[in-house]
Amino acid sequence: MVLSPVQAIVVYTDKEVHGAVGSQVTLYCSFWSSEWVSDDLSFTWRYQPEGGRDAISIFHYAKGQPYIDEVGTFKERIQWVGDPHRKDGSIVIHNLDYGDNGTFTCDVKNPPDIVGKTSQVTLYVFEKVPTRYGVVLGAVIGGVLGVVLLALLLFYLIRYCWLRRQAALQRRLSAMEKGKLHKTAKDSSKRGRQTPVLYAMLDHSRSAKAASEKKAKGLGESRKDKK
């Protein structure tokens, strides 16, 4: 018989969570296992106060039933919101107080997969939840990107309007040039038609002058002969 190698169960939680006094906070816990979700699946939450050495059990889920600590620090303040079929073992802590600061540990067993490390999340309770650095940085980066995109949009809009105006001006100049060329060609054609007429009139004037001179010369000779 060949035995398959044992794979450790892996538990996931947040690294830290923040909450305000009097509010509530959710402690998320999920896991990965090489086995199907067993009917014997169990979740256990332990709490170690800030500055304390010992961890106490505050919540346990087994055989489909949640068991909540009814005598300790979190009496009547813990709510089970997990879903074992989705590998979720999350809980909610209500009415937070400064004394809730500390480390919470989630431990999961999914027989036969029971080997693995627990996962821890640290709770910080404030009078007012501070804005996280990442949120501020993200907002600043988002604002800068928005300004840059707006500037680029305005630049391309102005450039588009300028190019459109230049194209319209170019079309107008081209139309004017075509009109001038057409007018010049028309004037040239008109002058070309007028030139032969002028030459004809000039020739006719010359012919008439020659005939007049010839007639006057003839009359003069006739007068001489009479004498």
Side-chain angles (χ1 to χ4, degrees), residues 44-60:
T44 301
W45 280 95
R46 297 183 179 88
Y47 167 66
Q48 182 178 351
E50 186 177 28
R53 292 186 177 182
D54 299 327
I56 58 175
S57 178
I58 59 172
F59 176 84
H60 184 68

Side-chain angles (χ1 to χ4, degrees), residues 78-104:
I78 295 180
Q79 178 185 359
W80 164 249
V81 293
D83 185 349
H85 297 290
R86 296 186 177 182
K87 301 180 179 181
D88 181 8
S90 303
I91 60 174
V92 174
I93 299 179
H94 296 272
N95 194 21
L96 292 176
D97 188 74
Y98 291 115
D100 297 334
N101 285 318
T103 301
F104 294 78

Side-chain angles (χ1 to χ4, degrees), residues 33 47 49 69 71 73 93 104 150 157 166 191 199 202 204 220:
S33 174
Y47 167 66
D69 179 20
V71 295
T73 305
I93 299 179
F104 294 78
L150 181 60
L157 181 61
Q166 289 296 111
R191 286 196 297 269
Y199 281 130
L202 184 59
H204 179 72

Side-chain angles (χ1 to χ4, degrees), residues 109-192:
K109 305 296 183 186
N110 185 39
D113 194 356
I114 59 174
V115 179
K117 292 183 178 180
T118 59
S119 185
Q120 296 180 338
V121 53
T122 303
L123 171 63
Y124 296 98
V125 181
F126 300 92
E127 181 177 356
K128 183 178 179 181
V129 178
T131 303
R132 294 186 179 182
Y133 174 76
V135 175
V136 176
L137 181 61
V140 172
I141 293 175
V144 172
L145 289 177
V147 172
V148 171
L149 290 176
L150 181 60
L152 287 174
L153 180 62
L154 290 176
F155 170 76
Y156 283 110
L157 181 61
I158 294 172
R159 188 170 183 269
Y160 170 76
C161 293
W162 181 81
L163 290 175
R164 187 174 179 181
R165 184 176 180 182
Q166 289 296 111
L169 182 60
Q170 188 66 32
R171 287 194 299 269
R172 187 178 301 175
L173 292 174
S174 298
M176 292 176 63
E177 290 293 333
K178 289 181 180 180
K180 288 181 179 180
L181 292 175
H182 180 70
K183 184 177 180 180
T184 302
K186 187 176 181 180
D187 292 343
S188 299
S189 176
K190 186 176 181 180
R191 286 196 297 269

